[in-house]
Amino acid sequence: MAVHGQKGQVEQILTRADIRTAYHEDPEGAEQRLFGRISCPDRRSFLKNAGLAALGAALGAAMPFHRNFPAGLMPIAFAQDTGAALMKEKDGLTVLADRPLNAETPAHLLDDDLTPYSRLFIRSNGLIPQTALDKNAEGWTLKIDGEVDNELSLSLDDLKNDFENVTLALVLECAGNGRAFFDPGASGNQWTVGAVGCPEWTGVRLRDVLEKAGIKPSAVYTGHYGNDVDISGDQDKVVISRGVPIEKAREPETLIVWAMNGEDLPALHGFPLRLVIPGYPGSASQKFLTRIWVRDQVHDGEKMGGHSYRLPAYPVAPGTEVPEEDMEILTVMPVKSIVTAPATGSNVPAGQATEVRGHAWAGSGDVKAMHVSLDFGQSWQEATLEPPRNKFAWQRWRANVTPPEKGYYEVWARATDMNDVMQPPVAPGWNPRGYGNNIIHRIALFAQ
């Protein structure tokens, strides 16, 4: 972007991030320096031809009422981008919030064996950094520090060239997936069943990087940081900083990744680098990753305390006010499944077999069995269940159901994990923030 100095000459090319920084440091000075805008005593401003043209070029449109625009006020068009424009790259997602951007995928659009970019849910805690929106990884480094013998500062090339590259299909699921089905409800995005997906990720094992840094015996936890931006626009405020026990960080499926489904990470999903910590809440899989702090205590970063991503230490009645000191960190996600075909509300033939199918997964690892019911849970038939591509990938299941006559039916789907834990028919374990709901998934069928 060409901007004008005090004498109207073109100074340099600035990005919107540069403009935001200039306004943050000195609002009125910035507009005078960038656009030749002169403040008047009545807090309005005056723009001469060159400055007005520069502002119009920056905004992408003229500002007809510029004389009324308050002095020192940054045009909102320069504010941090929410990434909402990238929604055009998505396919049928339901937007639950636009600042920060959060959107889930209807179950019938999650039928692919590997979830494509266009159908992967979006969970944002802050605003997408401009570097990600610009797909600019120049100068990007990942810092490893804390309880290590040798602090590391790694570039993307260092990660790609100095460690074994690994590609795995791994489930990523928001801790609040299913929150909409708790009663009484919990605040936050009202996810139904679509805050989950299983893309293929490429990167390096976190444990390999930690071993190169030399983990000290005192290490017990990790703390993760990214460069996403608080919704206030404050560049210095930490949006979210979660961590995991060092044992989880050392699992071979815990990855630092730069690619999803063979392509660079999209801006919406953490460009240029993120963690993927399968089996744990998606919040632990830090996007826009810049630092891993190895701690000698449980990490106390943003959204590690209070009621954030924590469950009551004991069963509570729905609606109970649970003291913060009685909350424990949510770690392993529960066993779960969804029906991806047919779509709920579909018409099917009476007296004939219809294939129903979907996916099943478990935070502890593999799923052992999958069952479906067509008579509201009075009887269950076993579905065929394929093995996972690798540990922590979801597993395809299929079953044929035959509605005996015309009418309304529901398919109920129930997964059982390797520890014989199965999905419940009612919402389990009510908690203040509505995490970990693995109630069985139901779809409607109309037999004709």
Side-chain angles (χ1 to χ4, degrees):
M1 176 191 310
V3 297
H4 290 252
Q6 292 180 333
K7 296 181 180 180
Q9 74 276 25
V10 175
E11 282 187 332
Q12 56 183 322
I13 305 300
L14 293 179
T15 66
R16 291 193 171 192
D18 296 328
I19 294 173
R20 286 193 295 273
T21 300
Y23 269 87
H24 178 71
E25 294 173 347
D26 177 11
E28 293 190 17
E31 63 187 11
Q32 182 173 359
R33 180 171 61 85
L34 298 179
F35 305 118
R37 199 170 185 222
I38 301 172
S39 300
C40 298
D42 61 358
R43 299 297 297 165
R44 292 191 293 180
S45 58
F46 179 71
L47 275 168
K48 291 186 177 180
N49 292 339
L52 190 57
L55 180 61
L59 290 170
M63 184 187 272
F65 298 118
H66 67 90
R67 291 181 184 277
N68 300 330
F69 196 69
L73 183 65
M74 182 179 70
I76 194 63
F78 296 146
Q80 177 68 38
D81 197 328
T82 63
L86 297 177
M87 283 300 297
K88 65 178 182 297
E89 300 173 357
K90 293 291 188 176
D91 176 18
L93 270 63
T94 303
V95 176
L96 303 182
D98 58 6
R99 190 177 176 86
L101 184 61
N102 287 284
E104 71 168 334
T105 314
H108 68 280
L109 296 181
L110 288 170
D111 193 46
D112 300 272
D113 290 339
L114 292 174
T115 308
Y117 163 59
S118 63
R119 293 180 173 178
L120 183 62
F121 75 102
I122 302 166
R123 174 63 174 114
S124 307
N125 285 276
L127 304 179
I128 299 170
Q130 193 62 44
T131 49
L133 292 169
D134 295 340
K135 301 301 290 283
N136 178 14
E138 184 177 352
W140 188 275
T141 57
L142 171 64
K143 181 180 181 180
I144 312 292
D145 64 347
E147 302 300 306
V148 296
D149 295 324
N150 305 297
E151 290 189 6
L152 299 177
S153 181
L154 302 169
S155 67
L156 286 175
D157 285 342
D158 293 335
L159 286 166
K160 293 177 181 178
N161 297 327
D162 297 348
F163 302 91
E164 180 184 358
N165 289 197
V166 179
T167 296
L168 295 173
L170 300 169
V171 169
L172 189 69
E173 182 181 17
C174 176
N177 197 25
R179 176 180 290 139
F181 304 116
F182 276 118
D183 184 18
S187 62
N189 295 301
Q190 296 302 297
W191 305 104
T192 60
V193 298
V196 65
C198 185
E200 193 173 65
W201 309 93
T202 298
V204 298
R205 298 182 187 90
L206 174 56
R207 74 177 184 189
D208 292 348
V209 175
L210 294 177
E211 285 174 3
K212 183 169 183 176
I215 307 174
K216 293 181 178 178
S218 54
V220 298
Y221 226 86
T222 59
H224 318 141
Y225 293 85
N227 74 333
D228 39 354
V229 181
D230 186 77
I231 56 174
S232 67
D234 186 345
Q235 301 278 341
D236 298 325
K237 191 172 182 178
V238 175
V239 173
I240 184 171
S241 174
R242 308 243 315 132
V244 297
I246 201 70
E247 295 79 13
K248 182 65 180 176
R250 283 172 150 163
E251 287 186 353
E253 297 83 11
T254 295
L255 305 182
I256 302 171
V257 306
W258 56 78
M260 186 176 82
N261 297 333
E263 303 287 341
D264 288 346
L265 280 175
L268 289 172
H269 299 294
F271 178 90
L273 204 64
R274 72 172 299 166
L275 288 165
V276 176
I277 300 180
Y280 270 40
S283 56
S285 296
Q286 190 86 36
K287 296 193 288 188
F288 319 111
L289 184 68
T290 57
R291 180 191 180 198
I292 297 175
W293 182 15
V294 182
R295 307 290 308 271
D296 60 0
Q297 57 186 291
V298 175
H299 186 48
D300 52 2
E302 186 67 24
K303 298 194 175 181
M304 284 295 295
H307 288 86
S308 296
Y309 302 105
R310 292 160 72 92
L311 300 175
Y314 44 81
V316 300
T320 301
E321 292 187 11
V322 185
E324 290 185 7
E325 60 268 26
D326 290 348
M327 302 293 288
E328 295 181 340
I329 298 171
L330 170 60
T331 56
V332 178
M333 294 289 285
V335 61
K336 210 163 186 177
S337 65
I338 52 172
V339 184
T340 59
T344 189
S346 293
N347 294 323
V348 298
Q352 297 181 32
T354 294
E355 182 186 82
V356 294
R357 61 179 182 269
H359 306 290
W361 64 96
S364 59
D366 296 346
V367 174
K368 181 173 72 175
M370 187 72 210
H371 293 81
V372 297
S373 174
L374 198 61
D375 55 8
F376 307 115
Q378 294 303 299
S379 64
W380 294 86
Q381 69 177 82
E382 187 165 9
T384 59
L385 181 66
E386 297 179 4
R389 291 182 176 223
N390 49 256
K391 188 175 181 181
F392 296 121
W394 62 17
Q395 296 171 242
R396 168 71 72 187
W397 63 264
R398 289 183 172 84
N400 289 323
V401 298
T402 304
E405 56 186 286
K406 293 181 179 179
Y408 173 80
Y409 297 86
E410 290 187 2
V411 175
W412 292 12
R414 185 185 72 191
T416 303
D417 71 15
M418 289 295 182
N419 299 314
D420 293 326
V421 176
M422 65 178 59
Q423 291 180 259
V426 295
W430 184 93
N431 59 91
R433 291 290 174 86
Y435 298 130
N437 189 354
N438 67 335
I439 186 174
I440 60 175
H441 185 209
R442 304 153 51 200
I443 67 162
L445 293 181
F446 293 88
Q448 307 294 321

